Amino acid sequence: MTSLTLARPDDWHLHLRDGAMLRAVLPWTVRDFARAIIMPNLVPPVVTGAQAAAYRDRILAAVPDGAQFEPLMTLYLTEDTDPDDVAAAHASGLVKAVKLYPAGATTNSASGVTNFDKVRPTLERMADIGLPLCVHGEVTDADIDIFDREAVFIDRVLDPIRRNTPGLRVVMEHITTSDAVAYARAQDDSLGATITTHHLVINRNHILAGGIKPHYYCLPVAKREVHRLALRDAATSGAPRFFLGTDSAPHTDANKLLPCGCAGCFTAPNTLPILAHVFEAEGALDRLEAFTSRNGPVFYGLPVNTDTVTLTKSPPNLPTHIDTEDGPVTVFDPGFALEWRVS
Ligand code: NCD
Ligand code: ZN
């Protein structure tokens, strides 16, 4: 196969940041994607409907002239979140999900949740109105090894929340383990799971063997090879449960290459060429569209995009880094030559 046309993809987990960084990174997503679930972990976080509306306006103002892009806004869940504000933001069509960060789990998660009982009224209201909860699924306890944090979260936090809140729609975001794949497969269609581009490509050796590679450091951190293979199996299965959330998370090189560097891989520019490579290697190019363009909208109750993108087998011409007013941002290096381009 040398050409593949897909319904235009959506990105169900994306960090766009704000200001100069937003203006620099947004065009790369707009090129290939119609819509994206926009992460609310700004400083300060996007907590209220009014803040989400203002952020949405800033994103739309940064869309290049003549291009089409629909930001699907989220609210950052805190222990002080007002269920009425959440319900109003959903009813107006502004907000498509609420994001749960366990406090301290990742970049700008300090305002996240420590006491899950305090967010119960909001979760119950979300179950009533059908508003999905997007979950960063890692415990933060110092005594839990960072490579075990996702599996422990499923048992200690995620499964109890789902049992206590019947009807709540949940997205397990950026899953990284065979434990998460198995859990997702065993649930009904009130549960979805996103998988990133980079977790289909790297395991923890890529970060740590032969010298430390800060550009491969992200959260949740990449795990053993057996887990990467489980993620590839899930993503390429076509199962409706699994869809693309790139978690493209730009940080300047200055902020990555530090004694305490930031977590995040910037994959917006080359996600589709990388995914075509991965799906071709797995003999699953015919299931790429389900992962990038169909399963996500079905979960969120939105139409599949009628517009298309065409991938052709020809090496793409993509930058190794992009320049921003804040400094360069390195594009994720998959470690293999890309053979597919978006035409
Ligand atoms: C994200 C970021 O930089 O905002 N980083 C990351 O490694 N994925 C936060 C997140 O999604 O965990
Ligand atoms: Zn993220």
Side-chain angles (χ1 to χ4, degrees), residues 40 107 116 170 195 200 254 275 287 317 319 332-333:
T107 311
F116 289 87
V170 172
I195 302 177
L200 295 172
L275 290 178
R287 294 196 281 276
N317 188 10
F332 176 75
D333 174 6

Side-chain angles (χ1 to χ4, degrees), residues 13 15 17 41 101 106-107 136 174 218-219 247 249 251 263-264:
H13 180 130
H15 298 271
R17 316 302 189 201
N41 63 332
Y101 290 103
T106 188
T107 311
H136 183 109
H174 41 50
C218 64
L219 288 169
D247 197 12
H251 293 278

Side-chain angles (χ1 to χ4, degrees), residues 135 150 154 171-182 184 192-196 199-200 220 223 227 230-231 234 241-242 245:
V135 177
E150 182 174 281
I154 293 169
V171 182
M172 297 172 75
E173 297 199 284
H174 41 50
I175 60 171
T176 59
T177 57
S178 61
D179 312 69
V181 169
T194 60
I195 302 177
T196 76
H199 288 115
L200 295 172
K223 310 292 193 302
H227 296 293
L231 297 172
R241 199 76 84 236
F242 302 106

Side-chain angles (χ1 to χ4, degrees), residues 82-304:
D82 173 5
D84 290 336
D85 183 58
V86 171
H90 171 66
S92 73
L94 171 68
V95 157
K96 298 293 185 234
V98 171
K99 173 70 189 240
L100 166 62
Y101 290 103
T106 188
T107 311
N108 303 334
S109 62
S111 315
V113 177
T114 303
N115 181 350
F116 289 87
D117 288 334
K118 291 204 176 148
V119 298
R120 178 172 303 280
T122 300
L123 299 183
E124 283 170 0
R125 181 72 76 84
M126 289 166 60
D128 286 346
I129 62 180
L131 179 60
L133 180 71
C134 291
V135 177
H136 183 109
E138 290 189 288
V139 293
T140 55
D141 314 52
D143 62 329
I144 305 294
D145 189 277
I146 192 166
F147 292 100
D148 298 332
R149 287 179 175 191
E150 182 174 281
V152 172
F153 182 90
I154 293 169
D155 288 342
R156 288 195 192 167
V157 184
L158 177 63
D159 197 59
I161 285 179
R162 294 187 63 241
R163 284 176 195 281
N164 290 333
T165 327
L168 182 65
R169 299 180 66 69
V170 172
V171 182
M172 297 172 75
E173 297 199 284
H174 41 50
I175 60 171
T176 59
T177 57
S178 61
D179 312 69
V181 169
Y183 182 82
R185 281 207 168 113
Q187 309 307 309
D188 64 21
D189 61 13
S190 68
L191 188 99
T194 60
I195 302 177
T196 76
T197 314
H198 48 285
H199 288 115
L200 295 172
V201 174
I202 60 167
N203 62 33
R204 64 195 201 178
N205 277 10
H206 292 88
I207 312 170
L208 296 170
I212 193 157
K213 316 291 192 319
H215 292 300
Y216 289 152
Y217 173 59
C218 64
L219 288 169
V221 70
K223 310 292 193 302
R224 288 177 180 272
E225 177 66 355
V226 64
H227 296 293
R228 186 185 73 99
L229 295 177
L231 297 172
R232 282 172 79 108
D233 195 54
T236 59
S237 69
R241 199 76 84 236
F242 302 106
F243 40 93
L244 173 65
T246 66
D247 197 12
S248 180
H251 293 278
T252 61
D253 288 355
N255 285 332
K256 291 287 292 178
L257 308 176
L258 282 176
C260 183
C262 293
C265 297
F266 178 53
T267 52
N270 57 6
T271 274
L272 291 187
I274 294 172
L275 290 178
H277 188 106
V278 167
F279 276 66
E280 185 174 42
E282 300 291 338
L285 273 179
D286 57 331
R287 294 196 281 276
L288 180 59
E289 185 182 59
F291 183 65
T292 60
S293 317
R294 294 196 172 272
N295 296 346
V298 169
F299 179 87
Y300 277 92
L302 296 169
V304 172

